[in-house]
């Protein structure tokens, strides 16, 4: 006779997750990118949406939801399309600094908004799925450019 696995005790340690995004195409943090977090108890289990956040000006999400006890796998979804076509990325490519006039480096701004497919980013979203263990912290940086990305387990 098989039985369902027991729920972990309420006081068992849970894993935690943090992330940040660096736009390697411009060498700066990617601010104001939507990040959503989901978790499941193991392979084949249903994903449970936990909520999300947005990256700050330093490219960091400081308020991702906590993972529930029993989490075995985590999924981070990054909404990169809005970032690639935003004025924020255009300003980063153009090298705008506080005090720049609105017309400064307009050509660089336009280049920042160009992408394959007539303005559609090649990666409209990035989804990262990884395994976690109770009590561990997982920092998962996203290194992003218009035509590629990389992730790793940071510290």
């Amino acid at each position: 006779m098989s039985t369902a696995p027991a729920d972990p005790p309420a006081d068992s340690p849970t894993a935690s997750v943090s992330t940040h995004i660096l736009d390697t195409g411009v060498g700066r943090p990617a601010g104001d990118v939507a990040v959503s977090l989901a978790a499941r108890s193991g392979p084949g289990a249903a994903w449970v949406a936990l909520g999300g956040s947005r990256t700050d000006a330093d490219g960091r999400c400081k308020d991702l939801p906590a993972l529930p006890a029993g989490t075995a796998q985590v999924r981070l979804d990054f909404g990169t399309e809005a970032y690639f076509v935003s004025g924020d990325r255009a300003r980063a490519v153009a090298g705008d600094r506080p005090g720049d006039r609105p017309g400064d480096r307009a050509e660089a701004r336009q280049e920042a908004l160009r992408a394959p497919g007539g303005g559609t980013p090649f990666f409209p979203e990035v989804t990262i799925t990884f395994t976690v263990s109770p009590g561990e912290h997982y920092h998962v940086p996203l290194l992003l450019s218009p035509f590629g990305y990389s992730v790793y387990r940071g510290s």
Side-chain angles (χ1 to χ4, degrees):
M1 176 165 113
S2 67
T3 60
D7 288 334
D11 61 349
S12 69
T14 60
S16 60
V17 174
S18 62
T19 189
H20 76 271
I21 306 173
L22 176 65
D23 183 336
T24 59
V26 295
R28 295 177 191 227
D32 199 31
V33 176
V35 180
S36 62
L37 178 68
R40 65 182 179 183
S41 59
W47 286 104
V48 176
L50 301 176
S53 184
R54 296 190 83 77
T55 56
D56 62 15
D58 196 32
R60 298 184 182 278
C61 278
K62 296 182 180 176
D63 57 353
L64 286 173
L67 299 176
T71 296
Q73 294 180 339
V74 172
R75 183 174 66 201
L76 286 169
D77 292 302
F78 300 88
T80 55
E81 182 172 32
Y83 169 73
F84 278 122
V85 298
S86 74
D88 291 341
R89 184 164 200 282
R91 283 186 290 281
V93 170
D96 282 356
R97 307 255 187 307
D100 281 354
R101 294 182 316 244
D104 290 348
R105 304 187 75 175
E107 183 177 322
R109 271 192 203 93
Q110 289 305 312
E111 182 62 30
L113 296 175
R114 288 189 200 114
T120 302
F122 188 64
F123 293 111
E125 60 187 46
V126 173
T127 300
I128 308 301
T129 304
F130 53 98
T131 302
V132 298
S133 297
E136 293 284 317
H137 177 72
Y138 296 85
H139 183 67
V140 183
L142 173 63
L143 306 177
L144 182 65
S145 78
F147 302 103
Y149 65 87
S150 177
V151 295
Y152 60 96
R153 181 178 179 186
S155 56

